[in-house]
Amino acid sequence: MPFSPEPGTATPRTQREWWRDAVIYQIYVRSFADSDGDGEGDLPGIRSRLPELAALGVDAVWLTPFYVSPLADGGYDVADYRDVDPRFGTLADFDALTAAAHDLGLRVIIDVVPNHTSSAHRWFREAAAAEPGDPVRSRYIFRPGRGAAGEEPPNNWNSIFGGPAWTRLKRPDGTPEEWYLHLFDAEQPDLNWTSAEVHAEFDDVLRFWLDRGVDGFRIDVAHGMVKDAALPDIAEGQKADLLDGTTRLPYFDQEGVHEIYRRWRTIADSYPGQRALVAEAWVEDAERVARYLRPDELHQAFNFEYLQAGWDPRRVREVVDRSLASNGAVGAPTTWVLSNHDVTRHVTRFGGGATGLRRSLAATLLTLALPGSAYLYQGEELGLPEVTDLPEDALQDPTWERSGRTERGRDGCRVPLPWEGAEPPFGFGPAGTVPWLPVPAEWAGLTRAAQRADPGSPLALYTAALRARREAAVGAGDAVEWLDTGPEVLAFRRGAGFACAVNMSGAAAVVPLTGEVLVASGPVEQRADGVVLPADTAVWLRG
Ligand code: NOJ
């Protein structure tokens, strides 16, 4: 069912295209809510909790992959793009979830994973069973090896998860033959985007879900589908890393990806209701990101420079200015994001403990005060920290094994959410549920139910900020007028009626702003000469 412009409980939207200033809440499906007690979150679980997200005040949800998958990479290894994994529910559950979200005024964005499939996908099984040179192999990137007997990989590329980016196939009798490329896990073979069949397949996959009423797609590894045709070696010592935005690599950000997005844009635009496309593109800088957002390409891209700016006022201000300028030049909104399922939670990145929490809440007010769209990662509204001490035998991120057990990977930000109650799993699933990752007992005080009852909680702050953001249309427009407040305090006006200040120094600071305090992340004091902000604290003012 398509999105209704007059949804049940939400404030009616203005005439702006919804994605230009939407706050989009990322649901990591496995870890959100488990309806059936198998330890994995699922679509009915999400549906049952949607009213809580409507109450939080977000505009949309983004669901990470729930497709049929062996879960070698948490579902980013898709075996069937047109069905729901039984662990997560059914297509009927998906339809019911979408309808319920729309009734609550929430749009639904889903992940599409076009760079690679699962090795359990029918196409890859056919390719592996075929002879070298068979057309079914041309859906992937197969090559003979180097060396006298083809025993060396075709080039020196490494997997982003560690180890070589090539795996050699073996015949059932053990005879080695061609190699296939996988920028991620060996169970995630890269598709060959020079194949017309691959293009046609994804056109159809997009339509399949658009027909079911999704409001948009988050495009996984959007900068990776097209490879330099020569598959050249990379410089010795060059990092394969997805998170390394500083080096040009022959498998990322190639010109050919833009042609794909121009096509996808025509598909999205052929549907009513402003369907939106958002890129996960870890490219060098804001100018390269903006190339994905030209008017005939994608609507949004995650702003990873902002995510990586740290608790550093100079850097944050530079990134804000550069992002707005680059995106403004192509008429696109900027997105602001502090956390997702691939990075250490920002409470921990900002120092952990009470300091990390204080800074993270101040950073949230900064993020939500900026023009454009913001992405929230599930659990940040509860102030959840990274879980850094998961037992080794619980770790599931492929990074752990592929790095030779030297890098623990991303499981620490994927721990199931605490909803209510005094003991794990805190309402994540029915009583007796053993979650797929253990939930720390210390999270008893961080459950949503506990925070709902506490006006000083992170949840209360997020809820108040989102309400104020919506009421004052803070995300609209594109101007940020910085005030001269010294190097360690960021303060800006957004038009005449709204201002935000963040004290990123280690001591209290007076900021020459007056007006009604809309929201503050800590105890602020108003004086004739301005507002006094404790260290690591932010405030929004009206007037
Ligand atoms: C980016 C996703 O966010 C991440 O979780 C995944 O491992 C890689 N893409 C590969 O699909």
Side-chain angles (χ1 to χ4, degrees), residues 26 28 62 73-74 76-77 111 113 115-116 160-161 184-185 188 218 220-221 242 280 282 340-342 397-398 410 414:
Q26 180 189 355
Y28 192 73
W62 149 32
D73 181 22
Y76 284 96
D77 47 318
D111 238 292
V113 187
N115 180 68
H116 43 264
I160 281 119
F161 294 155
F184 294 89
D185 194 58
Q188 294 167 291
R218 176 266 190 193
D220 189 58
V221 203
L242 178 71
E280 186 221 20
W282 292 89
N340 64 33
H341 65 294
D342 290 329
D397 185 343
R410 303 159 292 176
R414 299 174 175 179

Side-chain angles (χ1 to χ4, degrees), residues 17 61 125 145 168 233 253 261 267 301 307 324 382 387 455 470 472 478 518:
E17 291 158 306
V61 294
R125 287 194 274 108
R168 195 171 191 187
D233 279 344
D253 201 23
Y261 299 133
I267 295 175
L307 184 152
L324 290 171
L382 305 177
V387 179
R470 187 175 281 195
D478 54 13
L518 289 173

Side-chain angles (χ1 to χ4, degrees), residues 8-23:
T9 61
T11 310
R13 303 294 303 175
T14 67
Q15 299 307 308
R16 288 190 303 282
E17 291 158 306
W18 72 273
W19 42 271
R20 288 196 174 270
D21 61 350
V23 177

Side-chain angles (χ1 to χ4, degrees), residues 148-161:
E151 72 282 7
E152 298 289 332
N155 69 22
N156 69 354
W157 297 358
N158 279 323
S159 155
I160 281 119
F161 294 155

Side-chain angles (χ1 to χ4, degrees), residues 487-506:
E488 293 189 299
V489 175
L490 294 181
F492 54 88
R493 287 187 198 282
R494 301 282 325 289
F498 179 87
C500 170
V502 193
N503 178 5
M504 297 174 97
S505 76

